[in-house]
Amino acid sequence: MTLIHSELRDLGDDARESVVTEVGGVPISGLLAEAPSPRAVLLALHGGSTTSAYFDCPGYPELSLVRLAHRLGYTVLAPDRPGYGSSASYAHRLAAPDVRADVMFEAISAFLRDRPRGAGVFLTAHSAGSELAMRMAGDPRFADLLGVELAGTGCRYHPDGAGILRTVGPDSPRPPGVGDLIWNPARLYPSGTHRGASIAVPAPPFETEAVVDWGSKVFPELAAGIRVPVRFTAGDHERVWCNDAAALAEVGAMFTAAPRVVLNSQPNTAHNISVGHTAVAYHLGMLAFAEECIVAAEHGEFTGPTPQFDGGPVSPRK
C-alpha cells in the first residue's frame, strides 16, 4: 500500500467516538476512530493518573495522536486501562497484572469485533501504561502484533527523581515533587496542558505497587519476551527515567528477542510526550516506525544493525 494525499482524512471532531464494552461485568471505556480500510490498527495505552484523553487532549486537537493517526489511514483504539475510566470503581477486582491483561485482550476484541485491521495492530504506550503493553506484547494471543512503541519509562531512575520516586507506596502514591518531575520545564507544554488539569484523574491503588521493582525486575523480564520490532523513546528533558545514550543502550539490550530495536531521543520534550509542543513530531516519528513495521510484515524482515540509535548504530558501551 502507498499513502497518497487524497487518502488523508479531516482532523475533525467527528472522527472519534467514545466507546464502552463490558468484560466479566467490568465496563471498559475508551476512544475509537475507525478507518474504513485501515493501513493497520493503532492501539494506544495511556500512562498513570490520566485516561485515553491523554491521546486526544481537550482543547488541543492539533496534538492528538488519535486524530493524526486516523487522518493517516489508521483505525485508532485508545482504551482506558483497567482501573481507569468506566472501570475505576472496579479497581479492587483488577489488581493482578494477568487479570488486567486478560481484560484488555477481551475488551480489544469487543471494540474491534469484525472491523478490518489492515496489516495488523501496532501498539504504543506511555509511562505506567508500558507495563500492560509489554505484558500483552509478549503474549501469544497477540498474533497480529506488528510492533511496539514505548515512551516515558525505563530501567533506572533519573537522578532528579530517584529520591522522590523511591518513596512511592500505598501510603504515598504521589509524593511531593512528582508534578515538577513530569511537568517541567513548563515552556515545553502549551499553557493549557501544564500540570494536566484537563486530563488528570486519580490512579488506582495497585498502580503504585508496580513501581517498586519495575526497573530492576519487571521491565527486563517483559522486554526479553517481546518478539516484534520495538521503538523506545525518551524525551531529552525526561526527569523520571535516565535518558542519556548509555541508559538508552541499556534499555535496548534488554529486548533480546526483538528483530529490531530503535532508541530515540526526542528533542525539546519532557515526560508527558504526547501533550507537549513536540507531540506532533513524536507522533509522526512513531507512525513512521509503524509504517516500517507494516512494510516488513508484508514484504520481508528488517535489515541493518540492531539496536539502532536515532536510526543509526549505537556506540558500544564502555
Side-chain angles (χ1 to χ4, degrees):
M1 294 184 292
T2 301
L3 184 67
I4 59 175
H5 180 73
S6 62
E7 293 173 331
L8 296 180
R9 295 171 176 81
D10 287 339
L11 205 62
D13 289 335
D14 59 347
R16 87 270 188 267
E17 59 178 321
S18 296
V19 291
V20 180
T21 191
E22 189 175 291
V23 177
V26 177
I28 302 295
S29 50
L31 296 175
L32 176 66
E34 183 181 2
S37 299
R39 298 181 65 70
V41 173
L42 176 66
L43 175 62
L45 300 181
H46 63 84
S49 298
T50 185
T51 65
S52 53
Y54 175 80
F55 295 111
D56 189 48
C57 189
Y60 293 88
E62 68 276 12
L63 303 181
S64 170
L65 173 62
V66 173
R67 302 178 196 225
L68 177 63
H70 180 261
R71 190 182 183 206
L72 292 173
Y74 288 77
T75 285
V76 186
L77 175 60
D80 297 321
R81 289 190 292 114
Y84 287 94
S86 295
S87 67
S89 60
Y90 297 81
H92 62 287
R93 294 175 51 184
L94 303 167
D98 290 346
V99 170
R100 295 197 297 274
D102 291 344
V103 167
M104 195 85 290
F105 272 119
E106 291 193 41
I108 292 165
S109 295
F111 284 134
L112 296 179
R113 295 194 299 276
D114 56 353
R115 290 181 168 94
R117 299 191 180 194
V121 178
F122 185 86
L123 175 60
T124 183
H126 177 254
S127 195
S130 299
E131 182 265 338
L132 178 59
M134 293 175 71
R135 202 171 294 280
M136 294 176 68
D139 193 300
R141 286 175 288 183
F142 224 148
D144 62 347
L145 184 62
L146 297 166
V148 178
E149 165 85 27
L150 301 171
T153 188
C155 59
R156 285 189 289 113
Y157 285 137
H158 190 282
D160 290 352
I164 295 171
L165 293 166
R166 287 196 180 103
T167 67
V168 171
D171 298 327
S172 182
R174 193 177 177 87
V178 170
D180 289 335
L181 286 179
I182 64 178
W183 288 108
N184 280 320
R187 61 182 172 79
L188 298 181
Y189 296 100
S191 58
T193 67
H194 188 58
R195 296 283 175 176
S198 64
I199 59 173
V201 298
F206 60 73
E207 199 143 273
T208 59
E209 299 173 9
V211 175
V212 177
D213 56 358
W214 171 248
S216 61
K217 184 175 185 293
V218 180
F219 185 100
E221 289 179 355
L222 295 179
I226 296 178
R227 300 180 180 277
V228 295
V230 176
R231 184 175 185 258
F232 182 92
T233 296
D236 65 343
H237 286 74
E238 170 71 58
R239 296 173 62 213
V240 177
W241 302 99
C242 286
N243 61 351
D244 58 21
L248 289 177
E250 183 179 354
V251 166
M254 294 180 180
F255 292 92
T256 52
R260 186 186 186 206
V261 180
V262 175
L263 306 168
N264 175 43
S265 177
Q266 193 70 37
N268 295 311
T269 301
H271 181 75
N272 283 319
I273 193 167
S274 285
V275 294
H277 288 302
T278 59
V280 175
Y282 168 62
H283 294 155
L284 287 172
M286 173 204 305
L287 292 169
F289 182 70
E291 289 289 322
E292 293 172 357
C293 292
I294 291 172
V295 172
E298 293 181 342
H299 302 291
E301 299 299 324
F302 283 114
T303 59
T306 298
Q308 295 175 307
F309 185 81
D310 282 342
V314 176
S315 299
R317 294 180 62 196
K318 297 180 179 179

